[in-house]
Amino acid sequence: MDVTEASTVNRPKGDEVSVPRARTDSPGSQGGLVTPRGTTTIESGVVAKIAGLAAREIPGVHNMGASTARAIGAVRGMVGADQNITQGVSVEVGERQAAADLEVVVEYGMAIPDLAAAVRRNVITAIERMCGLEVTEVNIKVSDVHMPGQDKDSSEESSEPGPRVQ
């Protein structure tokens, strides 16, 4: 088994089964996806979730997706729905390779080239480590810049001083 760590799962009869952790061998090596005993297929939705989570881990990524998608996501949040992790993520997955397109909103003041490089590096590492797929490209589109105070309530941004209750 080409993993560095394994955890155990307790079975009712006391038998323990080793469950592999994420891959840490060389990226894109395909060690376990295509074997003489069968193949493992990873759906594009799985790769999209991994890419979305990896991109959001980078400080300076405020949100993901185009303004319309973010507006729909905000409405979903108001009605109690979960955040869509794949918002702003599009992937193509083959048998051995994957490619991703990401649309991000960056925090004002961030150096966009440095941020894009960090996002790209983190997404590639996550997909290659977790899926064993070679990542051929990660394209990043910066669709907006989030300004400080942009999320504040409109009553707080008013120029008229008003009572504040804390």
Side-chain angles (χ1 to χ4, degrees):
M1 188 181 303
D2 290 343
V3 294
T4 58
E5 289 184 49
S7 62
T8 57
V9 176
N10 291 324
R11 297 284 174 121
K13 296 180 182 177
D15 296 333
E16 291 184 350
V17 175
S18 180
V19 178
R21 294 261 186 225
R23 299 175 56 84
T24 57
D25 58 348
S26 61
S29 66
Q30 289 295 298
L33 293 179
V34 180
T35 68
R37 295 185 178 201
T39 61
T40 301
T41 304
I42 300 173
E43 292 290 326
S44 60
V46 173
V47 177
K49 279 187 180 182
I50 292 168
L53 289 168
R56 285 175 171 85
E57 289 176 351
I58 302 301
V61 174
H62 175 73
N63 207 339
M64 296 188 62
S67 59
T68 305
R70 292 194 318 269
I72 292 170
V75 170
R76 289 184 66 202
M78 284 186 237
V79 296
D82 291 336
Q83 179 185 13
N84 184 1
I85 301 300
T86 61
Q87 177 179 298
V89 180
S90 174
V91 298
E92 292 180 32
V93 180
E95 285 185 24
R96 293 184 164 91
Q97 296 178 328
D101 295 324
L102 308 175
E103 191 165 348
V104 300
V105 177
V106 301
E107 295 285 345
Y108 175 78
M110 298 300 299
I112 293 174
D114 295 341
L115 178 71
V119 168
R120 185 173 289 111
R121 192 171 38 250
N122 205 44
V123 168
I124 290 170
T125 300
I127 293 172
E128 288 183 343
R129 182 177 51 84
M130 293 180 71
C131 300
L133 295 167
E134 176 189 1
V135 178
T136 58
E137 65 182 7
V138 175
N139 299 310
I140 299 171
K141 177 181 178 182
V142 178
S143 61
D144 201 358
V145 175
H146 179 261
M147 304 300 287
Q150 200 171 9
D151 290 337
K152 289 184 180 179
D153 191 12
S154 60
S155 65
E156 290 180 18
E157 294 179 8
S158 173
S159 60
E160 297 178 15
R164 291 188 146 186
V165 179
Q166 294 183 357

